[in-house]
Amino acid sequence: MAKGFYISKPLGILGILLGVGALCTITALSVVYDQEKNKNAANSDLVQTTPGPISSTTLDQSKPWNRYRLPKTLIPESYNVRLRPYLTPNNEGLYIFEGNSTVRFTCKDATNVIIIHSKKLNYTSKSVLREVGGSQAPEIVNTQWILPTEYMVLHLASSLVKNKQYELDSSFVGELADDLAGFYRSEYMDGGVKKVLATTQMQAPDARKSFPCFDEPAMKATFNITLIHPKNLIALSNMPPRGNSIPLPEDPNWNITEFETTPKMSTYLLAYIVSEFTSVEDVSSKGVQIRIWARPSATREGHSIYARNVTGRILDFFAQHYATPYPLEKSDQIALPDFNAGAMENWGLVTYRESALLFDPFSSSISNKERVVTVIAHELAHQWFGNLVTVAWWNDLWLNEGFASYVEYLGADYAEPTWNLKDLIVLNEVYRVMAVDALASSHPLSSPEDEVNTPAQISELFDSISYSKGASVIRMLSDFLTEDLFKQGLTSYLQAFCYSNTNYLNLWEHLQKAVDNQTAIKLPASIRTIMDRWTLQMGFPVITVDTATGTITQKHFLLDGNATRPSEFNYLWIVPITSIRNHVTQDTYWLNGTQEAQSELFRTAADEWVVLNINVTGYFQVNYDNNNWKKIQNQLQTNLTAIPVINRAQVINDAFNLASAQIVPVTLALNNTLFLSRETEYMPWQAAMNSLSYFRLMFDRTEVYGPMQAYLRKQVTPLFEHFKKVTNNWTERPQSLTDQYNEINAISTACSNGLQECETLVSKLFADWMSHPETNTIHPNLRSTVYCNAIALGGEKEWDFAWEQFQNATVVNEADKLRSALACSNKVWILNRYLSYTLNPNLIRRQDATSTISSICSNVIGQPLVWDFIRSNWKKLFQDYGGGSFSFANLIQAVTRRFSTEYELQQLEQFKADNMDIGFGSGTRALEQALEKTKANIKWVNQNKEEVLKWFKNNM
């Protein structure tokens, strides 16, 4: 599953520079189902529901149905599932689906209970049990529904027989709710007419909401899906139809579509959709059918073409990369108006948010295009790694998502070879997650299996540690093994475990076999010994170099405080260290799990400098002795190209993090930005903007902010003039992807820091559009920054115009740009009005509500409004949006990111105390991190404010 939040390049830049840096397209907005709607209409006497939702701590754990993990007594073999969704409401105003299912399972150990997952399903007749082969099965004497563990429990008159197979038939009705989970409905407007479709999102624990099933990833089975649907609509599922749809005998207005049997697979990868969508098609070089499905108007307007064009290339790349053919005969991908995550890797039928799959060349920016190709690559990578071979339990989610988050850059790079996408992993994944992993409240990549049981605990794992740290350490592993050796082990792993389940140790074993079968690459220890230190303990080291002696040391890097979680490795790592000394690349050096070592590789002469961690392939940060820092600064001021561009970004990023942790003076980090007046490359500038965003958050309400703006205005002016010339006075776009991104940096930084020429430029572009609203001549790349700055500089007239354009937008990427820019207003009353809109789904879609709130609170003027709003409305917000994997965590992070006073800390602690009874769901860990971060902010501001003010005044 792709990350549920997404920061576009232009909006991310704007956020850093204008205080709206959390313009995440935060998703995963699961709406809590109203229990009152879940009526056991027929055969209510069959249902013995455990009263109320009961805390698991009150349940008798000796009873297997009170434990969140399924017993291993029954193993599913196959399912036959028949579903009929109704896309118009019934007499009670509810959308429902009818279903019946048959599961065949093998009894591994004799038992007199059948425990199977079921959630919010109303059973319309007694379940029927039979033994395969004709013998009489035990009678079902009692049925229970256990709400906390989400089980249907069938008590039997006698025990099932070991090694015998049985089948269980069930008939049921469920609500086709708009909660973005299980089998749900999505709505959209087309020509003023509301359209409804039925779709699915099963990951992690919601297949049980669609039909009774053994809903754990290791409980793989085959599935025969049949959909009954209106004859004018299309039915899709993981597999192709067995043949043409046939009319339903009792009602010819409905068709029956039966699909081919799936391979052996996990329940969370199931998908089925009924809609009026249309597709564009292609066939890959290996004969795989490719279809991109979307709303008919989006298909007609060509928004699916780009996705179709890159899918075949990406499938071919991964088939070659894994040395394993694509496992299915078709690859459907579909863009949904309402969707829980960024995308979901359902086998053979991948579901996406519209913004992650559709691209309109007339209104979508280059970052929208990059988003599409990388998300497609992420999901298609899962078709092998995750679908063909699946982790046995969610505690190893990091392996699944971290791997896909790494190789998405490889697949996208193959599809767009001129973009240098592989470099961007450093900014997008490595540095982004280090900010979280440097907190004492972080957690290891891999958790003990018994620590992950409940749906809420599973949901918490879908975080940046699993995705981005997972990607970072797997990239490091691939780098020190070499990509070819890594692929050999990977291929062996996939072929050994296809259609089954694994844990991370299985991958290490197969990589070790690849290492053992050659002699060129020599490691200081086994793969497991090296990698255990990166996966089983949280955080990462800072490597400190003394170039006078060649001594290197390592220490657990923490922004503040000490790690409270013990580590069997004492927070020491086995670290591969690459380096450059005065332009010359040196051999890799291994710091082999010790705190200190020495090497002549790192001892320099008076006229030499050394830079460690070439292209930031290692997951660590670097500190130098003061003399080497000065040599690096001098090199950047005289001939910056002597240091690779990624390492120029690293020099900025690492120094600011070291300063935040009080390891180096804050002035050293600021001195590392002086060379930017000569820099035109994207990555160093973006690293600086990311780093200085913290200064903005800490100081944009203080007297430091004016001198800071003056300094940034001075530094960015040469960059602004450079791109003015390159783009022929902003009428053309630069050639390369990163230059296009840095053009946006130039305009955003210049405008937000008061460069008059820039303010005039964006105001004129926006005014021209207001004069001719039917013709938007602002280039899609520049729209986010122009919209935001023009709205910030303008008033009610500009905001109302943008709101009208948002309401009329037919392309989701354009709507997202406007929705985010509307949060840039400097008028308190306008932001308050906009905030009220977020609770009205007719104005702001449910899936966009929390990202819009985050956008408003990232504006320095909007932040206190949102904080008051959240405290006043926590119960409603939590009920409506708290179940998602990403939304609440990011909302809590966004609203607290400026907190830097004792008063704000007291408010946050009071907020926690006041809402303990309601809970914080998937935001629980984020709240603890916010408390920790606020304390660190208070300490940092008290220690550095005067020094920072003095530095900016001296350099403005």
Side-chain angles (χ1 to χ4, degrees):
M1 182 163 66
K3 290 182 282 289
F5 57 90
Y6 165 57
I7 304 175
S8 73
K9 298 301 182 300
L11 293 180
I13 293 163
L14 283 171
I16 289 161
L17 300 165
L18 292 165
V20 287
L23 301 181
C24 307
T25 307
I26 304 163
T27 60
L29 312 178
S30 297
V31 180
V32 176
Y33 179 75
D34 181 349
Q35 294 292 336
E36 291 301 312
K37 294 180 182 177
N38 193 7
K39 299 176 180 177
N40 293 293
N43 298 295
S44 59
D45 57 310
L46 302 176
V47 181
Q48 297 182 8
T49 307
T50 302
I54 301 175
S55 168
S56 61
T57 58
T58 67
L59 299 176
D60 179 358
Q61 294 295 301
S62 68
K63 306 295 186 185
W65 51 82
N66 289 336
R67 303 178 204 134
Y68 283 94
R69 295 296 303 277
L70 284 166
K72 301 296 190 292
T73 51
L74 307 177
I75 303 298
E77 299 290 334
S78 65
Y79 294 84
N80 288 298
V81 180
R82 183 181 175 102
L83 297 167
R84 182 179 186 177
Y86 291 85
L87 302 184
T88 55
N90 64 12
N91 293 335
E92 296 179 354
L94 295 180
Y95 292 82
I96 66 166
F97 64 90
E98 297 172 345
N100 52 71
S101 65
T102 299
V103 55
R104 175 178 290 195
F105 56 86
T106 300
C107 178
K108 293 297 185 182
D109 289 296
T111 178
N112 63 355
V113 292
I114 296 172
I115 301 174
I116 189 167
H117 284 110
S118 177
K119 181 180 180 182
K120 299 177 182 175
L121 297 175
N122 304 315
Y123 290 82
T124 55
S125 62
K126 286 186 177 181
S127 297
V128 175
L129 178 68
R130 60 181 170 274
E131 181 182 321
V132 177
S135 298
Q136 184 68 35
E139 179 189 357
I140 300 171
V141 296
N142 186 25
T143 303
Q144 286 181 291
W145 280 264
I146 313 298
L147 293 185
T149 50
E150 299 176 347
Y151 287 139
M152 177 170 68
V153 181
L154 296 94
H155 297 268
L156 308 179
S158 59
S159 291
L160 301 175
V161 179
K162 183 178 180 179
N163 295 327
K164 291 283 189 179
Q165 284 195 330
Y166 298 87
E167 289 184 339
L168 178 69
D169 297 338
S170 302
S171 297
F172 48 87
V173 174
E175 185 185 358
L176 197 69
D178 59 352
D179 58 358
L180 311 178
F183 198 22
Y184 72 94
R185 80 177 187 277
S186 175
E187 299 175 356
Y188 63 97
M189 300 301 294
D190 182 25
V193 178
K194 184 174 82 170
K195 299 296 181 74
V196 180
L197 62 96
T199 185
T200 54
Q201 170 60 26
M202 305 303 196
Q203 194 183 47
D206 281 315
R208 64 193 69 171
K209 192 167 169 282
S210 182
F211 63 96
C213 56
F214 298 93
D215 199 11
E216 292 187 359
M219 295 286 190
K220 288 192 170 185
T222 60
F223 296 84
N224 297 283
I225 303 297
T226 300
L227 295 177
I228 302 173
H229 56 92
K231 68 177 183 181
N232 60 321
L233 302 182
I234 296 293
L236 300 172
S237 190
N238 304 82
M239 302 299 290
R242 289 193 188 277
N244 294 328
S245 300
I246 61 173
L248 183 68
E250 58 266 36
D251 188 345
N253 291 316
W254 292 74
N255 275 354
I256 303 171
T257 302
E258 183 180 350
F259 296 91
E260 298 282 356
T261 303
T262 71
K264 192 176 180 183
M265 60 184 281
S266 302
T267 50
Y268 80 88
L269 295 169
L270 281 171
Y272 22 88
I273 297 170
V274 174
S275 73
E276 66 170 14
F277 283 13
T278 55
S279 68
V280 295
E281 300 190 21
D282 198 4
V283 177
S284 78
S285 65
K286 306 298 183 183
V288 178
Q289 181 190 38
I290 295 165
R291 295 184 298 186
I292 311 298
W293 296 86
R295 291 175 291 107
S297 60
T299 303
R300 284 194 304 271
E301 292 164 11
H303 298 172
S304 306
I305 298 300
Y306 179 68
R308 182 196 66 184
N309 292 346
V310 297
T311 293
R313 297 201 293 271
I314 294 170
L315 284 173
D316 289 346
F317 170 79
F318 283 126
Q320 175 272 325
H321 189 78
Y322 297 128
T324 304
Y326 176 71
L328 304 178
E329 61 185 87
K330 62 111 171 165
S331 174
D332 281 330
Q333 299 176 91
I334 186 165
L336 298 170
D338 297 292
F339 191 61
N340 189 325
M344 179 61 210
E345 65 268 21
N346 315 301
W347 216 0
L349 177 54
V350 184
T351 44
Y352 295 80
R353 272 190 166 221
E354 289 190 332
S355 58
L357 188 64
L358 304 183
F359 176 78
D360 175 15
F362 299 106
S363 63
S364 300
S365 67
I366 188 67
S367 67
N368 296 138
K369 199 172 191 179
E370 186 213 324
R371 168 71 170 164
V372 169
V373 71
T374 52
V375 175
I376 289 175
H378 182 106
E379 303 311 324
L380 295 185
H382 276 311
Q383 305 300 297
W384 288 262
F385 202 99
N387 297 8
L388 182 65
V389 178
T390 310
V391 294
W393 184 241
W394 299 109
N395 63 307
D396 281 331
L397 174 76
W398 73 269
L399 184 63
N400 191 15
E401 294 298 350
F403 183 87
S405 296
Y406 165 52
V407 299
E408 73 179 56
Y409 289 90
L410 308 186
D413 182 73
Y414 183 83
E416 294 288 1
T418 65
W419 287 5
N420 295 321
L421 284 171
K422 287 189 283 189
D423 293 347
L424 297 184
I425 193 174
V426 175
L427 292 174
N428 297 348
E429 313 295 340
V430 181
Y431 287 160
R432 184 172 293 169
V433 74
M434 278 182 166
V436 175
D437 209 18
L439 299 175
S441 54
S442 185
H443 63 94
L445 274 171
S446 189
S447 305
E449 187 173 346
D450 60 5
E451 289 185 8
V452 181
N453 295 294
T454 70
Q457 289 168 340
I458 295 169
S459 179
E460 278 197 343
L461 294 176
F462 288 82
D463 67 357
S464 60
I465 297 293
S466 294
Y467 283 79
S468 297
K469 182 177 181 178
S472 301
V473 299
I474 291 171
R475 171 176 176 257
M476 178 176 66
L477 170 61
S478 176
D479 183 74
F480 70 68
L481 287 179
T482 72
E483 187 173 321
D484 286 343
L485 196 57
F486 183 79
K487 288 195 295 185
Q488 289 177 31
L490 180 62
T491 299
S492 172
Y493 166 83
L494 289 172
Q495 293 176 353
F497 295 103
C498 60
Y499 304 107
S500 61
N501 296 83
T502 66
N503 61 40
Y504 70 94
L505 294 177
N506 299 129
L507 179 59
W508 297 167
E509 290 166 4
H510 282 264
L511 290 172
Q512 188 63 51
K513 288 179 184 177
V515 172
D516 294 342
N517 289 335
Q518 54 83 59
T519 57
I521 303 299
K522 298 186 184 301
L523 302 179
S526 69
I527 296 283
R528 178 174 181 177
T529 300
I530 294 169
M531 295 307 295
D532 274 358
R533 295 170 183 249
W534 297 98
T535 61
L536 300 182
Q537 58 184 355
M538 70 180 193
F540 56 89
V542 53
I543 305 298
T544 300
V545 186
D546 184 342
T547 57
T549 63
T551 301
I552 57 172
T553 59
Q554 66 166 306
K555 183 181 179 182
H556 182 196
F557 181 82
L558 286 170
L559 287 174
D560 188 61
N562 297 306
T564 55
R565 182 189 290 262
S567 167
E568 62 179 294
F569 308 107
N570 296 315
Y571 290 104
L572 294 171
W573 288 263
I574 300 176
V575 189
I577 302 175
T578 56
S579 60
I580 301 174
R581 188 210 299 251
N582 273 35
H583 313 272
V584 179
T585 301
Q586 306 190 102
D587 292 338
T588 298
Y589 177 85
W590 283 91
L591 181 56
N592 194 8
T594 60
Q595 191 165 347
E596 182 177 318
Q598 192 275 339
S599 172
E600 291 301 309
L601 291 172
F602 311 121
R603 189 203 299 264
T604 60
D607 60 346
E608 291 181 321
W609 50 262
V610 65
V611 170
L612 272 60
N613 202 9
I614 302 172
N615 294 328
V616 194
T617 54
Y619 186 67
F620 57 90
Q621 298 194 344
V622 183
N623 185 23
Y624 304 98
D625 59 279
N626 196 52
N627 193 35
N628 196 62
W629 274 120
K630 288 181 178 177
K631 290 177 184 177
I632 292 171
Q633 289 167 353
N634 289 337
Q635 182 65 61
L636 291 171
Q637 295 273 22
T638 54
N639 178 18
L640 54 80
T641 59
I643 296 176
V645 64
I646 298 179
N647 289 96
R648 301 205 296 272
Q650 175 211 21
V651 163
I652 293 172
N653 178 84
D654 286 9
F656 274 98
N657 282 324
L658 293 166
S660 295
Q662 303 169 64
I663 296 172
V664 302
V666 69
T667 52
L668 184 152
L670 289 167
N671 285 335
N672 282 1
T673 68
L674 290 170
F675 79 93
L676 288 174
S677 60
R678 299 174 176 82
E679 180 65 83
T680 59
E681 291 288 346
Y682 166 70
M683 292 189 70
W685 265 102
Q686 190 59 44
M689 295 302 97
N690 289 344
S691 298
L692 287 169
S693 68
Y694 180 68
F695 283 63
R696 184 175 299 275
L697 291 168
M698 294 302 98
F699 297 132
D700 63 4
R701 299 174 291 176
T702 75
E703 68 273 22
V704 176
Y705 194 47
M708 178 179 173
Q709 283 188 301
Y711 171 70
L712 288 173
R713 189 162 60 244
K714 183 184 79 170
Q715 291 296 88
V716 79
T717 297
L719 187 70
F720 185 83
E721 294 297 330
H722 167 76
F723 279 106
K724 179 181 178 181
K725 181 178 179 181
V726 167
T727 62
N728 192 17
N729 199 25
W730 315 107
T731 61
E732 301 168 1
R733 300 284 71 76
Q735 289 298 310
S736 77
L737 176 78
T738 53
D739 279 349
Q740 290 183 55
Y741 287 164
N742 217 25
E743 177 193 17
I744 300 163
N745 259 338
I747 295 174
S748 298
T749 311
C751 281
S752 64
N753 288 291
L755 187 65
Q756 183 61 52
E757 184 179 353
C758 183
E759 292 178 346
T760 302
L761 171 69
V762 298
S763 295
K764 183 181 185 305
L765 288 170
F766 197 79
D768 289 346
W769 184 30
M770 290 178 67
S771 299
H772 303 90
E774 71 284 353
T775 305
N776 187 350
T777 59
I778 305 169
H779 191 276
N781 283 10
L782 305 184
R783 288 182 184 177
S784 289
T785 189
V786 169
Y787 294 171
C788 183
N789 280 287
I791 288 170
L793 292 165
E796 182 180 7
K797 181 175 65 173
E798 285 77 12
W799 197 95
D800 287 347
F801 173 79
W803 174 253
E804 182 181 1
Q805 296 301 312
F806 166 71
Q807 290 182 303
N808 295 330
T810 57
V811 178
V812 67
N813 287 328
E814 178 69 4
D816 284 345
K817 293 180 179 70
L818 288 161
R819 181 171 54 80
S820 298
L822 287 163
C824 298
S825 174
N826 284 321
K827 302 293 187 291
V828 172
W829 72 269
I830 288 178
L831 292 176
N832 246 332
R833 181 179 66 180
Y834 193 29
L835 192 57
S836 71
Y837 291 175
T838 61
L839 295 184
N840 184 343
N842 294 319
L843 298 177
I844 300 293
R845 296 183 80 94
R846 280 196 176 96
Q847 68 174 13
D848 296 325
T850 57
S851 65
T852 305
I853 296 170
S854 294
S855 298
I856 297 168
C857 72
S858 296
N859 181 334
V860 64
I861 297 170
Q863 188 270 335
L865 308 178
V866 174
W867 180 225
D868 290 344
F869 176 83
I870 285 176
R871 286 183 293 172
S872 300
N873 295 280
W874 180 255
K875 184 173 183 179
K876 176 174 175 54
L877 288 168
F878 183 72
Q879 288 174 341
D880 286 354
Y881 307 119
S885 301
F886 290 100
S887 58
F888 253 50
N890 282 274
L891 182 57
I892 290 171
Q893 289 166 3
V895 77
T896 61
R897 66 178 66 241
R898 276 189 177 81
F899 284 7
S900 56
T901 67
E902 290 290 346
Y903 178 64
E904 287 167 329
L905 176 61
Q906 291 171 11
Q907 286 186 318
L908 189 56
E909 289 172 336
Q910 189 63 49
F911 169 73
K912 178 182 177 182
D914 290 345
N915 293 286
M916 289 297 290
D917 58 329
I918 299 170
F920 305 96
S922 59
T924 302
R925 182 175 284 148
L927 180 59
E928 294 305 314
Q929 291 170 345
L931 285 163
E932 181 185 350
K933 187 68 174 168
T934 300
K935 294 172 186 176
N937 291 345
I938 294 168
K939 184 177 179 180
W940 187 87
V941 168
N942 289 339
Q943 292 176 340
N944 293 288
K945 181 179 177 182
E946 295 306 318
E947 193 73 24
V948 170
L949 176 60
K950 180 181 176 182
W951 191 93
F952 280 128
K953 283 183 174 179
N954 290 339
N955 290 277
M956 55 190 279

